[in-house]
Amino acid sequence: MESDFWVRGTVTRVMQAIERMATPWMVRPASPTADLYLLNACGDWVGEGRPITQLAPGAFVSETTLLVMRHAGGAATLPERARQFYLIDDDVNALVADVRTPMGQRLKLALFERRYAAALRHAGAQMVVSSDALLRLHPSATLLRPVWSAALADLDHHGKAGPCRIAYLGSAVHRGDLALIGKVLWSILETSDVELYIAANHRLSKLSGHPKVKLIAATSWPAWRAWIEQQRFHIALYPLADSAANRARSCNKIIEHAVVGAAGIYSDTWPEAARVSRRSAGLVLPADPRQWELAIRSLIDDRQACLRLAKAGRALAQDLNGPGVQRAFWSHAFSLFPFRTT
């Protein structure tokens, strides 16, 4: 008995030491999750003199409530509160198990997200999730959609001359997904008047070396977000391998594509693509490279069809992107009443 207690204590101390050493390397000073699920909609409630204090990129506290979003790396300690919430926007276990997930990301997920999830759920924290698939994994959770504070593009760029600008806005976590259509994109680059924008950290040696490919420099989340909000594209691609991790992804890319004014093309294995199909707000395709090539070429050749899809995608994004649901939920969760919410 004493031996088991000593072993558990030793393991805990070792994990804490590893976290302290890993935090400067793995925890960024700003969190996309915190922006999308709290700060974009409710940032006026957070900060000095406000009812919510930010303890770390993903940790927030009020007088009554503690919220951790993915993990609390960077916080010295987490105060005890009567109400606790834990928000997750990925199927962490599926990502850790998927060999296509970059090793550094798998290590971060295992070291931070898994541990905080276990501790907070053990403490009775209420779960908040970002997709229907995650809600099925956690049936007692609350579902929140992401919110962007950036204005959606006005689409004027679709009427201007010049090459068709195509974007793939996934990070290196999606390296395997982009590879699904790598040959298709190379063929299009060789034969069409296009520019393709991809993140530099994909390291797809052949594709990234093409003269028509524009590499988006690896940078911080605030810099990436500022860059995205200034860009305009005609087509945005979201191919996804059929995996548990990808099926759990939120509707974020629909909104992000509207921020850059693009007509979106999505994999049909992504559950959120169903709402795109219902609204004819983009193209939804099976995992057939030939169909992806035909679809991309059709939009390159027919700019009016591309504009129609971008308009429908923008309208769908407007419906998804209202901050009202988040503000109502978090004002209650953080016990802000009678704090004024307007």
Side-chain angles (χ1 to χ4, degrees):
M1 196 75 170
E2 290 182 4
S3 175
D4 290 345
F5 181 79
W6 182 86
V7 169
R8 287 196 298 271
T10 300
V11 170
T12 299
R13 289 190 293 273
V14 169
M15 290 300 295
Q16 290 172 341
I18 292 173
E19 180 182 342
R20 286 194 297 272
M21 290 186 291
T23 293
W25 301 98
M26 293 190 174
V27 177
R28 300 294 181 255
S31 165
T33 301
D35 276 7
L36 293 172
Y37 295 95
L38 177 66
L39 295 173
N40 287 346
C42 309
D44 55 320
W45 300 342
V46 181
E48 186 176 355
R50 299 288 178 169
I52 301 173
T53 299
Q54 187 169 11
L55 304 174
F60 301 84
V61 67
S62 71
E63 291 184 359
T64 62
T65 304
L66 172 69
L67 165 65
V68 174
M69 311 180 96
R70 298 186 68 102
H71 63 81
T77 58
L78 291 180
E80 293 185 6
R81 290 294 186 268
R83 305 183 73 186
Q84 297 185 60
F85 290 84
Y86 180 67
L87 185 146
I88 193 69
D89 57 351
D90 273 320
D91 184 340
V92 172
N93 289 331
L95 279 171
V96 172
D98 193 334
V99 295
R100 289 168 296 197
T101 305
M103 183 56 67
Q105 180 71 7
R106 293 168 76 185
L107 179 61
K108 179 182 176 182
L109 291 166
L111 181 61
F112 290 99
E113 275 88 338
R114 267 185 171 177
R115 194 161 66 82
Y116 278 99
L120 285 159
R121 293 180 70 185
H122 180 74
Q126 298 178 54
M127 292 284 291
V128 183
V129 297
S130 60
S131 69
D132 292 324
L134 288 174
L135 188 61
R136 286 191 290 273
L137 288 176
H138 309 284
S140 62
T142 297
L143 174 64
L144 285 185
R145 303 292 184 193
V147 170
W148 279 74
S149 56
L152 304 184
D154 57 19
L155 306 182
D156 288 349
H157 60 289
H158 283 270
K160 297 177 180 178
C164 182
R165 303 179 84 230
I166 303 172
Y168 179 77
L169 300 177
S171 68
V173 173
H174 291 282
R175 195 175 300 149
D177 298 319
L178 180 57
L180 296 173
I181 58 169
K183 291 182 179 179
V184 165
L185 294 175
W186 183 269
S187 174
I188 290 170
L189 288 164
E190 287 288 276
T191 57
S192 300
D193 184 18
V194 298
E195 294 176 345
L196 174 64
Y197 289 73
I198 60 174
N201 59 10
H202 281 287
R203 301 185 185 89
L204 295 176
S205 56
K206 184 176 181 181
L207 192 60
S208 62
H210 195 284
K212 292 182 182 177
V213 168
K214 311 297 182 182
L215 297 179
I216 309 166
T219 186
S220 66
W221 161 246
W224 167 268
R225 174 176 167 165
W227 183 86
I228 284 290
E229 293 174 5
Q230 296 300 315
Q231 300 306 304
R232 295 294 178 263
F233 296 105
H234 301 100
I235 301 170
L237 309 173
Y238 198 47
L240 288 172
D242 187 12
S243 68
N246 282 340
R247 289 191 294 272
R249 298 194 183 280
S250 76
C251 65
N252 179 58
K253 275 294 180 284
I254 297 172
I255 305 170
E256 190 174 9
H257 290 171
V259 169
V260 298
I265 306 181
Y266 306 93
S267 287
D268 64 358
T269 54
W270 182 44
E272 295 290 344
R275 69 174 80 243
V276 174
S277 291
R278 287 193 296 270
R279 297 276 292 268
S280 298
L283 300 180
V284 178
L285 302 176
D288 178 356
R290 179 59 179 163
Q291 290 195 43
W292 279 79
E293 181 168 2
L294 290 172
I296 296 169
R297 289 190 184 279
S298 72
L299 295 185
I300 294 170
D301 294 337
D302 188 345
R303 293 293 184 91
Q304 286 303 307
C306 188
L307 174 58
R308 286 194 296 272
L309 285 178
K311 283 182 177 178
R314 189 183 192 280
L316 174 57
Q318 282 180 317
D319 292 343
L320 294 171
N321 198 43
V325 172
Q326 281 196 24
R327 288 180 73 84
F329 178 77
W330 292 125
S331 65
H332 175 71
F334 281 102
S335 303
L336 299 189
F337 297 118
F339 179 80
R340 193 167 68 183
T341 62
T342 58

PDB file of all heavy atoms in Angstrom, residues 111-141:
ATOM      1  N   LEU A 111       0.679  14.871 -23.278  1.00  0.00           N
ATOM      2  CA  LEU A 111       1.250  15.478 -22.069  1.00  0.00           C
ATOM      3  C   LEU A 111       0.316  16.498 -21.445  1.00  0.00           C
ATOM      4  O   LEU A 111       0.189  16.563 -20.213  1.00  0.00           O
ATOM      5  CB  LEU A 111       2.586  16.142 -22.417  1.00  0.00           C
ATOM      6  CG  LEU A 111       3.344  16.815 -21.262  1.00  0.00           C
ATOM      7  CD1 LEU A 111       3.688  15.806 -20.187  1.00  0.00           C
ATOM      8  CD2 LEU A 111       4.600  17.490 -21.787  1.00  0.00           C
ATOM      9  N   PHE A 112      -0.350  17.295 -22.267  1.00  0.00           N
ATOM     10  CA  PHE A 112      -1.178  18.376 -21.741  1.00  0.00           C
ATOM     11  C   PHE A 112      -2.673  18.044 -21.784  1.00  0.00           C
ATOM     12  O   PHE A 112      -3.314  17.912 -20.750  1.00  0.00           O
ATOM     13  CB  PHE A 112      -0.904  19.676 -22.513  1.00  0.00           C
ATOM     14  CG  PHE A 112       0.449  20.259 -22.226  1.00  0.00           C
ATOM     15  CD1 PHE A 112       1.509  20.055 -23.085  1.00  0.00           C
ATOM     16  CD2 PHE A 112       0.661  21.017 -21.087  1.00  0.00           C
ATOM     17  CE1 PHE A 112       2.757  20.592 -22.827  1.00  0.00           C
ATOM     18  CE2 PHE A 112       1.909  21.550 -20.808  1.00  0.00           C
ATOM     19  CZ  PHE A 112       2.955  21.339 -21.681  1.00  0.00           C
ATOM     20  N   GLU A 113      -3.238  17.923 -22.990  1.00  0.00           N
ATOM     21  CA  GLU A 113      -4.682  17.770 -23.084  1.00  0.00           C
ATOM     22  C   GLU A 113      -5.205  16.560 -22.318  1.00  0.00           C
ATOM     23  O   GLU A 113      -6.170  16.662 -21.552  1.00  0.00           O
ATOM     24  CB  GLU A 113      -5.110  17.684 -24.553  1.00  0.00           C
ATOM     25  CG  GLU A 113      -5.319  19.033 -25.215  1.00  0.00           C
ATOM     26  CD  GLU A 113      -4.042  19.586 -25.821  1.00  0.00           C
ATOM     27  OE1 GLU A 113      -2.942  19.173 -25.389  1.00  0.00           O
ATOM     28  OE2 GLU A 113      -4.129  20.437 -26.715  1.00  0.00           O
ATOM     29  N   ARG A 114      -4.588  15.416 -22.514  1.00  0.00           N
ATOM     30  CA  ARG A 114      -5.075  14.203 -21.846  1.00  0.00           C
ATOM     31  C   ARG A 114      -5.049  14.349 -20.334  1.00  0.00           C
ATOM     32  O   ARG A 114      -5.980  13.959 -19.638  1.00  0.00           O
ATOM     33  CB  ARG A 114      -4.218  13.005 -22.266  1.00  0.00           C
ATOM     34  CG  ARG A 114      -4.742  12.237 -23.448  1.00  0.00           C
ATOM     35  CD  ARG A 114      -3.881  11.029 -23.676  1.00  0.00           C
ATOM     36  NE  ARG A 114      -4.447  10.141 -24.676  1.00  0.00           N
ATOM     37  CZ  ARG A 114      -3.846   9.040 -25.092  1.00  0.00           C
ATOM     38  NH1 ARG A 114      -2.675   8.693 -24.593  1.00  0.00           N
ATOM     39  NH2 ARG A 114      -4.418   8.273 -25.997  1.00  0.00           N
ATOM     40  N   ARG A 115      -3.978  14.917 -19.815  1.00  0.00           N
ATOM     41  CA  ARG A 115      -3.828  15.000 -18.367  1.00  0.00           C
ATOM     42  C   ARG A 115      -4.826  15.982 -17.756  1.00  0.00           C
ATOM     43  O   ARG A 115      -5.436  15.704 -16.723  1.00  0.00           O
ATOM     44  CB  ARG A 115      -2.398  15.399 -18.005  1.00  0.00           C
ATOM     45  CG  ARG A 115      -2.072  15.172 -16.536  1.00  0.00           C
ATOM     46  CD  ARG A 115      -0.580  15.122 -16.328  1.00  0.00           C
ATOM     47  NE  ARG A 115       0.034  16.405 -16.599  1.00  0.00           N
ATOM     48  CZ  ARG A 115       0.067  17.410 -15.719  1.00  0.00           C
ATOM     49  NH1 ARG A 115      -0.513  17.276 -14.539  1.00  0.00           N
ATOM     50  NH2 ARG A 115       0.668  18.531 -16.004  1.00  0.00           N
ATOM     51  N   TYR A 116      -4.972  17.149 -18.396  1.00  0.00           N
ATOM     52  CA  TYR A 116      -5.937  18.112 -17.872  1.00  0.00           C
ATOM     53  C   TYR A 116      -7.362  17.598 -18.000  1.00  0.00           C
ATOM     54  O   TYR A 116      -8.198  17.818 -17.118  1.00  0.00           O
ATOM     55  CB  TYR A 116      -5.787  19.464 -18.585  1.00  0.00           C
ATOM     56  CG  TYR A 116      -4.669  20.299 -18.001  1.00  0.00           C
ATOM     57  CD1 TYR A 116      -3.418  20.344 -18.594  1.00  0.00           C
ATOM     58  CD2 TYR A 116      -4.866  21.019 -16.824  1.00  0.00           C
ATOM     59  CE1 TYR A 116      -2.387  21.096 -18.054  1.00  0.00           C
ATOM     60  CE2 TYR A 116      -3.836  21.778 -16.277  1.00  0.00           C
ATOM     61  CZ  TYR A 116      -2.602  21.814 -16.892  1.00  0.00           C
ATOM     62  OH  TYR A 116      -1.581  22.558 -16.335  1.00  0.00           O
ATOM     63  N   ALA A 117      -7.654  16.905 -19.102  1.00  0.00           N
ATOM     64  CA  ALA A 117      -8.996  16.347 -19.267  1.00  0.00           C
ATOM     65  C   ALA A 117      -9.306  15.365 -18.154  1.00  0.00           C
ATOM     66  O   ALA A 117     -10.389  15.400 -17.548  1.00  0.00           O
ATOM     67  CB  ALA A 117      -9.114  15.670 -20.631  1.00  0.00           C
ATOM     68  N   ALA A 118      -8.352  14.480 -17.849  1.00  0.00           N
ATOM     69  CA  ALA A 118      -8.583  13.485 -16.803  1.00  0.00           C
ATOM     70  C   ALA A 118      -8.778  14.144 -15.442  1.00  0.00           C
ATOM     71  O   ALA A 118      -9.690  13.788 -14.684  1.00  0.00           O
ATOM     72  CB  ALA A 118      -7.413  12.505 -16.761  1.00  0.00           C
ATOM     73  N   ALA A 119      -7.917  15.121 -15.137  1.00  0.00           N
ATOM     74  CA  ALA A 119      -7.990  15.762 -13.823  1.00  0.00           C
ATOM     75  C   ALA A 119      -9.285  16.549 -13.653  1.00  0.00           C
ATOM     76  O   ALA A 119      -9.953  16.457 -12.613  1.00  0.00           O
ATOM     77  CB  ALA A 119      -6.783  16.681 -13.632  1.00  0.00           C
ATOM     78  N   LEU A 120      -9.674  17.295 -14.671  1.00  0.00           N
ATOM     79  CA  LEU A 120     -10.866  18.121 -14.548  1.00  0.00           C
ATOM     80  C   LEU A 120     -12.144  17.290 -14.573  1.00  0.00           C
ATOM     81  O   LEU A 120     -13.102  17.585 -13.853  1.00  0.00           O
ATOM     82  CB  LEU A 120     -10.883  19.177 -15.646  1.00  0.00           C
ATOM     83  CG  LEU A 120      -9.900  20.323 -15.393  1.00  0.00           C
ATOM     84  CD1 LEU A 120      -9.561  21.048 -16.680  1.00  0.00           C
ATOM     85  CD2 LEU A 120     -10.465  21.300 -14.378  1.00  0.00           C
ATOM     86  N   ARG A 121     -12.157  16.246 -15.367  1.00  0.00           N
ATOM     87  CA  ARG A 121     -13.338  15.386 -15.370  1.00  0.00           C
ATOM     88  C   ARG A 121     -13.461  14.655 -14.040  1.00  0.00           C
ATOM     89  O   ARG A 121     -14.567  14.454 -13.530  1.00  0.00           O
ATOM     90  CB  ARG A 121     -13.278  14.416 -16.539  1.00  0.00           C
ATOM     91  CG  ARG A 121     -13.403  15.102 -17.894  1.00  0.00           C
ATOM     92  CD  ARG A 121     -13.344  14.135 -19.043  1.00  0.00           C
ATOM     93  NE  ARG A 121     -14.542  13.313 -19.102  1.00  0.00           N
ATOM     94  CZ  ARG A 121     -14.713  12.318 -19.965  1.00  0.00           C
ATOM     95  NH1 ARG A 121     -13.757  12.036 -20.832  1.00  0.00           N
ATOM     96  NH2 ARG A 121     -15.824  11.621 -19.965  1.00  0.00           N
ATOM     97  N   HIS A 122     -12.324  14.263 -13.463  1.00  0.00           N
ATOM     98  CA  HIS A 122     -12.348  13.637 -12.140  1.00  0.00           C
ATOM     99  C   HIS A 122     -12.890  14.602 -11.096  1.00  0.00           C
ATOM    100  O   HIS A 122     -13.566  14.193 -10.139  1.00  0.00           O
ATOM    101  CB  HIS A 122     -10.940  13.174 -11.760  1.00  0.00           C
ATOM    102  CG  HIS A 122     -10.865  12.523 -10.407  1.00  0.00           C
ATOM    103  ND1 HIS A 122     -11.344  11.254 -10.174  1.00  0.00           N
ATOM    104  CD2 HIS A 122     -10.384  12.976  -9.208  1.00  0.00           C
ATOM    105  CE1 HIS A 122     -11.166  10.942  -8.893  1.00  0.00           C
ATOM    106  NE2 HIS A 122     -10.585  11.967  -8.295  1.00  0.00           N
ATOM    107  N   ALA A 123     -12.606  15.889 -11.275  1.00  0.00           N
ATOM    108  CA  ALA A 123     -13.088  16.906 -10.338  1.00  0.00           C
ATOM    109  C   ALA A 123     -14.533  17.321 -10.611  1.00  0.00           C
ATOM    110  O   ALA A 123     -15.058  18.198  -9.931  1.00  0.00           O
ATOM    111  CB  ALA A 123     -12.179  18.133 -10.407  1.00  0.00           C
ATOM    112  N   GLY A 124     -15.154  16.715 -11.623  1.00  0.00           N
ATOM    113  CA  GLY A 124     -16.550  16.996 -11.905  1.00  0.00           C
ATOM    114  C   GLY A 124     -16.790  18.161 -12.840  1.00  0.00           C
ATOM    115  O   GLY A 124     -17.901  18.712 -12.875  1.00  0.00           O
ATOM    116  N   ALA A 125     -15.781  18.550 -13.609  1.00  0.00           N
ATOM    117  CA  ALA A 125     -15.956  19.670 -14.528  1.00  0.00           C
ATOM    118  C   ALA A 125     -17.000  19.342 -15.587  1.00  0.00           C
ATOM    119  O   ALA A 125     -17.109  18.203 -16.049  1.00  0.00           O
ATOM    120  CB  ALA A 125     -14.626  20.010 -15.204  1.00  0.00           C
ATOM    121  N   GLN A 126     -17.757  20.358 -15.965  1.00  0.00           N
ATOM    122  CA  GLN A 126     -18.731  20.209 -17.040  1.00  0.00           C
ATOM    123  C   GLN A 126     -18.007  20.330 -18.379  1.00  0.00           C
ATOM    124  O   GLN A 126     -17.248  21.266 -18.605  1.00  0.00           O
ATOM    125  CB  GLN A 126     -19.814  21.274 -16.927  1.00  0.00           C
ATOM    126  CG  GLN A 126     -20.618  21.193 -15.636  1.00  0.00           C
ATOM    127  CD  GLN A 126     -21.655  22.284 -15.541  1.00  0.00           C
ATOM    128  OE1 GLN A 126     -22.475  22.464 -16.437  1.00  0.00           O
ATOM    129  NE2 GLN A 126     -21.624  23.042 -14.441  1.00  0.00           N
ATOM    130  N   MET A 127     -18.273  19.388 -19.283  1.00  0.00           N
ATOM    131  CA  MET A 127     -17.614  19.369 -20.579  1.00  0.00           C
ATOM    132  C   MET A 127     -18.318  20.300 -21.564  1.00  0.00           C
ATOM    133  O   MET A 127     -19.544  20.409 -21.575  1.00  0.00           O
ATOM    134  CB  MET A 127     -17.625  17.951 -21.147  1.00  0.00           C
ATOM    135  CG  MET A 127     -16.770  16.950 -20.394  1.00  0.00           C
ATOM    136  SD  MET A 127     -15.016  17.181 -20.762  1.00  0.00           S
ATOM    137  CE  MET A 127     -14.955  16.639 -22.474  1.00  0.00           C
ATOM    138  N   VAL A 128     -17.508  20.955 -22.391  1.00  0.00           N
ATOM    139  CA  VAL A 128     -18.001  21.757 -23.506  1.00  0.00           C
ATOM    140  C   VAL A 128     -17.252  21.279 -24.749  1.00  0.00           C
ATOM    141  O   VAL A 128     -16.025  21.134 -24.713  1.00  0.00           O
ATOM    142  CB  VAL A 128     -17.758  23.263 -23.286  1.00  0.00           C
ATOM    143  CG1 VAL A 128     -18.350  24.081 -24.437  1.00  0.00           C
ATOM    144  CG2 VAL A 128     -18.350  23.717 -21.955  1.00  0.00           C
ATOM    145  N   VAL A 129     -17.974  21.019 -25.840  1.00  0.00           N
ATOM    146  CA  VAL A 129     -17.354  20.462 -27.047  1.00  0.00           C
ATOM    147  C   VAL A 129     -17.767  21.281 -28.260  1.00  0.00           C
ATOM    148  O   VAL A 129     -18.685  22.100 -28.198  1.00  0.00           O
ATOM    149  CB  VAL A 129     -17.741  18.981 -27.243  1.00  0.00           C
ATOM    150  CG1 VAL A 129     -17.213  18.131 -26.095  1.00  0.00           C
ATOM    151  CG2 VAL A 129     -19.266  18.826 -27.378  1.00  0.00           C
ATOM    152  N   SER A 130     -17.089  21.025 -29.392  1.00  0.00           N
ATOM    153  CA  SER A 130     -17.222  21.906 -30.549  1.00  0.00           C
ATOM    154  C   SER A 130     -17.868  21.255 -31.762  1.00  0.00           C
ATOM    155  O   SER A 130     -17.989  21.902 -32.804  1.00  0.00           O
ATOM    156  CB  SER A 130     -15.826  22.410 -30.946  1.00  0.00           C
ATOM    157  OG  SER A 130     -14.993  21.306 -31.278  1.00  0.00           O
ATOM    158  N   SER A 131     -18.272  19.990 -31.669  1.00  0.00           N
ATOM    159  CA  SER A 131     -18.873  19.329 -32.832  1.00  0.00           C
ATOM    160  C   SER A 131     -19.840  18.253 -32.372  1.00  0.00           C
ATOM    161  O   SER A 131     -19.787  17.772 -31.231  1.00  0.00           O
ATOM    162  CB  SER A 131     -17.793  18.696 -33.721  1.00  0.00           C
ATOM    163  OG  SER A 131     -17.194  17.579 -33.066  1.00  0.00           O
ATOM    164  N   ASP A 132     -20.716  17.857 -33.278  1.00  0.00           N
ATOM    165  CA  ASP A 132     -21.683  16.809 -32.968  1.00  0.00           C
ATOM    166  C   ASP A 132     -20.985  15.485 -32.661  1.00  0.00           C
ATOM    167  O   ASP A 132     -21.434  14.717 -31.811  1.00  0.00           O
ATOM    168  CB  ASP A 132     -22.656  16.625 -34.130  1.00  0.00           C
ATOM    169  CG  ASP A 132     -23.574  17.830 -34.315  1.00  0.00           C
ATOM    170  OD1 ASP A 132     -23.965  18.430 -33.295  1.00  0.00           O
ATOM    171  OD2 ASP A 132     -23.894  18.170 -35.457  1.00  0.00           O
ATOM    172  N   ALA A 133     -19.883  15.215 -33.373  1.00  0.00           N
ATOM    173  CA  ALA A 133     -19.157  13.975 -33.123  1.00  0.00           C
ATOM    174  C   ALA A 133     -18.590  13.940 -31.711  1.00  0.00           C
ATOM    175  O   ALA A 133     -18.637  12.909 -31.034  1.00  0.00           O
ATOM    176  CB  ALA A 133     -18.037  13.809 -34.153  1.00  0.00           C
ATOM    177  N   LEU A 134     -18.053  15.062 -31.242  1.00  0.00           N
ATOM    178  CA  LEU A 134     -17.544  15.120 -29.870  1.00  0.00           C
ATOM    179  C   LEU A 134     -18.684  15.042 -28.865  1.00  0.00           C
ATOM    180  O   LEU A 134     -18.530  14.472 -27.776  1.00  0.00           O
ATOM    181  CB  LEU A 134     -16.744  16.403 -29.665  1.00  0.00           C
ATOM    182  CG  LEU A 134     -15.383  16.462 -30.359  1.00  0.00           C
ATOM    183  CD1 LEU A 134     -14.753  17.843 -30.190  1.00  0.00           C
ATOM    184  CD2 LEU A 134     -14.443  15.390 -29.832  1.00  0.00           C
ATOM    185  N   LEU A 135     -19.839  15.578 -29.223  1.00  0.00           N
ATOM    186  CA  LEU A 135     -20.996  15.489 -28.331  1.00  0.00           C
ATOM    187  C   LEU A 135     -21.449  14.042 -28.169  1.00  0.00           C
ATOM    188  O   LEU A 135     -21.880  13.632 -27.087  1.00  0.00           O
ATOM    189  CB  LEU A 135     -22.130  16.350 -28.878  1.00  0.00           C
ATOM    190  CG  LEU A 135     -23.351  16.526 -27.967  1.00  0.00           C
ATOM    191  CD1 LEU A 135     -22.961  17.198 -26.656  1.00  0.00           C
ATOM    192  CD2 LEU A 135     -24.423  17.336 -28.676  1.00  0.00           C
ATOM    193  N   ARG A 136     -21.318  13.257 -29.229  1.00  0.00           N
ATOM    194  CA  ARG A 136     -21.661  11.833 -29.104  1.00  0.00           C
ATOM    195  C   ARG A 136     -20.678  11.113 -28.190  1.00  0.00           C
ATOM    196  O   ARG A 136     -21.048  10.159 -27.488  1.00  0.00           O
ATOM    197  CB  ARG A 136     -21.691  11.176 -30.487  1.00  0.00           C
ATOM    198  CG  ARG A 136     -22.914  11.567 -31.312  1.00  0.00           C
ATOM    199  CD  ARG A 136     -23.056  10.709 -32.555  1.00  0.00           C
ATOM    200  NE  ARG A 136     -22.019  10.993 -33.534  1.00  0.00           N
ATOM    201  CZ  ARG A 136     -22.121  11.943 -34.455  1.00  0.00           C
ATOM    202  NH1 ARG A 136     -23.204  12.705 -34.526  1.00  0.00           N
ATOM    203  NH2 ARG A 136     -21.149  12.131 -35.332  1.00  0.00           N
ATOM    204  N   LEU A 137     -19.423  11.551 -28.170  1.00  0.00           N
ATOM    205  CA  LEU A 137     -18.441  10.959 -27.259  1.00  0.00           C
ATOM    206  C   LEU A 137     -18.689  11.393 -25.818  1.00  0.00           C
ATOM    207  O   LEU A 137     -18.369  10.651 -24.881  1.00  0.00           O
ATOM    208  CB  LEU A 137     -17.023  11.370 -27.671  1.00  0.00           C
ATOM    209  CG  LEU A 137     -16.444  10.751 -28.933  1.00  0.00           C
ATOM    210  CD1 LEU A 137     -15.074  11.363 -29.236  1.00  0.00           C
ATOM    211  CD2 LEU A 137     -16.329   9.236 -28.797  1.00  0.00           C
ATOM    212  N   HIS A 138     -19.247  12.588 -25.649  1.00  0.00           N
ATOM    213  CA  HIS A 138     -19.493  13.150 -24.314  1.00  0.00           C
ATOM    214  C   HIS A 138     -20.945  13.628 -24.249  1.00  0.00           C
ATOM    215  O   HIS A 138     -21.222  14.830 -24.342  1.00  0.00           O
ATOM    216  CB  HIS A 138     -18.528  14.312 -24.050  1.00  0.00           C
ATOM    217  CG  HIS A 138     -17.090  13.989 -24.296  1.00  0.00           C
ATOM    218  ND1 HIS A 138     -16.335  13.229 -23.425  1.00  0.00           N
ATOM    219  CD2 HIS A 138     -16.261  14.309 -25.334  1.00  0.00           C
ATOM    220  CE1 HIS A 138     -15.107  13.102 -23.907  1.00  0.00           C
ATOM    221  NE2 HIS A 138     -15.034  13.745 -25.053  1.00  0.00           N
ATOM    222  N   PRO A 139     -21.893  12.721 -24.106  1.00  0.00           N
ATOM    223  CA  PRO A 139     -23.317  13.061 -24.244  1.00  0.00           C
ATOM    224  C   PRO A 139     -23.826  14.102 -23.249  1.00  0.00           C
ATOM    225  O   PRO A 139     -24.819  14.779 -23.526  1.00  0.00           O
ATOM    226  CB  PRO A 139     -24.024  11.717 -24.031  1.00  0.00           C
ATOM    227  CG  PRO A 139     -22.988  10.683 -24.317  1.00  0.00           C
ATOM    228  CD  PRO A 139     -21.686  11.273 -23.896  1.00  0.00           C
ATOM    229  N   SER A 140     -23.168  14.252 -22.111  1.00  0.00           N
ATOM    230  CA  SER A 140     -23.628  15.233 -21.132  1.00  0.00           C
ATOM    231  C   SER A 140     -23.003  16.611 -21.339  1.00  0.00           C
ATOM    232  O   SER A 140     -23.255  17.530 -20.564  1.00  0.00           O
ATOM    233  CB  SER A 140     -23.321  14.752 -19.711  1.00  0.00           C
ATOM    234  OG  SER A 140     -21.923  14.614 -19.522  1.00  0.00           O
ATOM    235  N   ALA A 141     -22.196  16.770 -22.380  1.00  0.00           N
ATOM    236  CA  ALA A 141     -21.498  18.029 -22.641  1.00  0.00           C
ATOM    237  C   ALA A 141     -22.443  19.049 -23.270  1.00  0.00           C
ATOM    238  O   ALA A 141     -23.563  18.740 -23.690  1.00  0.00           O
ATOM    239  CB  ALA A 141     -20.301  17.793 -23.556  1.00  0.00           C
TER     240      ALA A 141
END
